[in-house]
Amino acid sequence: MSLKSWFPIHPKSHFSLANIPFGIISTPNSNTPRPAVAIGDHALDLAVFAAGSGFSHLPSIQPHLSVFDKPTLNDFAALGHRLHREVRRYLQEVFQENTRFPVLSNSSTLKDSCIFPLKDITTHCPLQIGDYTDFYAGKNHAYNAGALFRGPKDALQPNYTHLPVGYHGRASSVVVSGTPIRRPWGQILENPKVDPKVPIFAPSRRLDFELELGAFVCRANNMGEPVPIGEARDSLFGVVLMNDWSARDIQAWEYMPLGPFNGKNFGTTISAWVVLSDALQPFLSKSIENDTKLLPYLEDNKENVYDINLEVDMTTQWSETTTITRTNAQNLLFSFPQMLAHHSITGCPMQVGDLLGSGTISGMDHGTQGSLLEQSQNGTTEIKLNAGERRTFLEDFDTVTLRGWAGSQDGALVGFGECVGRIEPAISLQ
């Protein structure tokens, strides 16, 4: 349902009143990172808003106002879903037409001191990430990639439909949208068909993006105590767009027998604004059908993934932009609650701020695949871009932009903003 506001919000804005995503910003007035929410083309500085008694009509947050002075959202996330919901609904009411709480609409002083155009702010990584785990829940991507290397018959491993396959990533290289990504060096095989197999040391020649979603944990569990599937959704703070950059040639040589390492650890980009679980609740949808009978600890509600439209743009060095992917987040076999339940079933202690990646999200049709690996058939088919350029993998100075939004009604779109990364040339090691 579209909510009307006294504040100017374009009806096509992904940061509608139905959304209220949270992030970390700094402004021309202060370079200190602190929490904010996005509203239309603006950001509300929650530190200034709280200091100016903006939350005076929300008693439940009063003992916790210090969370809005922190440089990350971890402390706010740790407050739990009830307070997330109350703060979000309160802010919706503050901006709503004929609001009961005119703390901003009737105070030009407070309004001018805490609302900034998005173009004038700097965004920062929204949470301090202690651990990062990337899953492989995009069944179409898993099949497409597996078929390229093992053939259609053996595309999916026997375990694939029984559990959310994943691996531990590198939290220190998760960066916020807009951060440049340096082309990595590594060991690669120039010709994998030649024996003996002797690698060379060179910058990656098969650099790729991966279209994913990421979810943040907001509730810790004790070591030895799994998170039950029925409680897993309440342990998740919200969702971001995620690009898990991949050096396919480095990964191909190194991944046997222990899986990805340097081919994946050089950079992962996330969008700056965390869309809360409550904002996405109306868009819960059915995942890809799984004919496998799951073990009880993974059994989840049928509507357990999100109906989120996803797009990928590639912009070349010459500023020509082509939309190369259009797909939907329903193309997942497992949900984030299932990923969390599986991750913790051994008693693994999850912490507030831990990041879970969905795995690459792809459809089955041309133009719906979430990686160049699939679109170029592992480099054998060129992808046509606007202005006559072609690609099989990413070249230096290419920019990849992910976008995502849920809903179709004007004034009620729930989106993530952009997740942007530009490829910088490999550093000189000579």
Side-chain angles (χ1 to χ4, degrees), residues 238-261:
V239 176
V240 291
L241 299 174
M242 192 174 98
N243 182 349
D244 193 39
W245 305 91
S246 299
R248 301 296 184 187
D249 42 5
I250 296 174
Q251 181 179 347
W253 172 241
E254 74 180 2
Y255 85 103
M256 294 297 288
L258 295 181
F261 188 51

Side-chain angles (χ1 to χ4, degrees), residues 383-404:
I383 300 159
K384 296 179 181 179
L385 305 180
N386 294 337
E389 292 193 76
R390 297 170 183 266
R391 291 288 186 277
T392 51
F393 291 98
L394 295 172
E395 295 186 4
D396 290 346
F397 308 113
D398 284 345
T399 297
V400 177
T401 301
L402 314 185
R403 286 188 303 276

Side-chain angles (χ1 to χ4, degrees), residues 67-126:
V67 300
F68 300 121
D69 291 323
K70 306 296 184 182
T72 70
L73 292 173
N74 292 61
D75 285 2
F76 175 66
L79 295 178
H81 272 212
R82 181 180 64 83
L83 275 174
H84 303 161
R85 183 176 302 118
E86 291 177 4
V87 169
R88 174 173 167 270
R89 288 179 178 174
Y90 177 78
L91 292 173
Q92 286 177 317
E93 177 64 38
V94 164
F95 279 98
Q96 203 163 327
E97 191 175 64
N98 303 317
T99 176
R100 294 177 296 148
F101 310 131
V103 290
L104 277 179
S105 56
N106 286 358
S107 175
S108 58
T109 301
L110 182 58
K111 182 170 60 177
D112 292 345
S113 65
C114 66
I115 296 181
F116 299 88
L118 290 177
K119 63 181 179 61
D120 294 339
I121 67 168
T122 300
T123 55
H124 304 270
C125 198

Side-chain angles (χ1 to χ4, degrees), residues 132-136 165-167 169 210 212 242 244 264 357-359:
Y132 156 51
T133 303
D134 195 27
F135 286 88
Y136 197 50
V165 174
Y167 72 95
E210 289 189 340
E212 303 194 27
M242 192 174 98
D244 193 39
K264 303 285 285 185
S358 65

